[in-house]
Amino acid sequence: MQLGLMDVYSNHGVLVIGDKVGPDGDVTLQGAFTVSSSHVLLATRGQAGLVRVCLWDGVGPRRGVEVAATRLELSDQHLSIFDIERIGLHSFATGRSGAVPIRVWVDDPGCASRVDILIGEDGDERELTSVAGRPLSSVTVSSGAEMEVADELGLILSGHDSPLGRLAAAIKLISTAPVARPAILDSRIDQVVEWSRWLNPQQSLARSRELGEFVRTEIVGLQKPVQDVEAIDLAERALQKSASSDSSVADQGGSQE
C-alpha cells in the first residue's frame, strides 16, 4: 500500500532516506547513491526541479532502476525523507523496530527525479491486472505481505502516464473482484474518483464524482468475466464524458469575460 507521496526540493541535489537524525559527517554521497547503516543518499536533479518520492509498504511498483536493497537502523520506528539541507522533512511511522528492510528505485541514477521506496523484505514480482495492448509496470510483493484488491487498485491508479489503460484496468479489476457489501464498492469507486481529480488542472471534485458515478452505473451492465474490449470502451466513454464536461465549463467561463 502507498504510505506517502511527496515532492521534495533538493537545493544541492542530495536526497536522504532513513533515520530522522541526519547522516554522520563522514557519510557523503559517492556517485549515484551511498548506503550507510542508517541512511541512503541519492543524487537527484537538484535545482532543476522537484523530486517526486513515493513510499510503499509491503507492495509497491518496480519502476526504473533499483539502486539500493538494504536494512536501515531507525531510532524511533519512523522513516524520514529529506534533502541534505533539511529544507523540508517528511517522516512516516513504519511500525517496525530494529533494522528496517527497504528497497529504492529511481528513474535516472545520478539525476533522479522520481523515487520509489518500498518497506519490506525481498519478495515476488507480480503483474497487475491490465487490458490487452496496455500493460502496466510489474510490482513487488514483499515476503509475508499480501496484495489485496485495494492495494492492486491503488497501484493501478498510482500514475497518469496511460489514463485509458489505467482506467480500463481499474474497471476490469472492480468488475471482477468480489464485493461483500456496498461500502466496499463505494471505496473502490472513490479510488477512481480521487485518481481522476489529477487528470488535468481543471478537473474539479464535482466532475470527478460524475466520472465515478458514470463508471459505477455502467459497470453493472458488463458481462462477467468482463472482456478487455468492454473495459476499454467504458474507460474511453468515461474519459470523453469528463473531458467534454470540463471543456464546457471552460467555454462558459471564457464567454463571461
Side-chain angles (χ1 to χ4, degrees), residues 138-189:
S138 59
V139 300
T140 293
V141 181
S142 298
S143 177
E146 295 290 339
M147 185 164 67
E148 306 291 346
V149 174
D151 296 325
E152 184 172 9
L153 186 58
L155 284 159
I156 290 171
L157 300 175
S158 65
H160 295 83
D161 52 330
S162 177
L164 177 59
R166 289 184 181 276
L167 182 54
I171 289 169
K172 181 178 179 180
L173 177 61
I174 292 172
S175 65
T176 56
V179 178
R181 56 186 186 277
I184 293 178
L185 178 59
D186 292 343
S187 175
R188 293 169 185 171
I189 294 297

Side-chain angles (χ1 to χ4, degrees), residues 53 62 81 121 203 226 251 253:
V53 183
R62 301 171 64 92
I81 300 160
E121 301 283 356
Q203 185 83 351
V226 63
D251 291 342

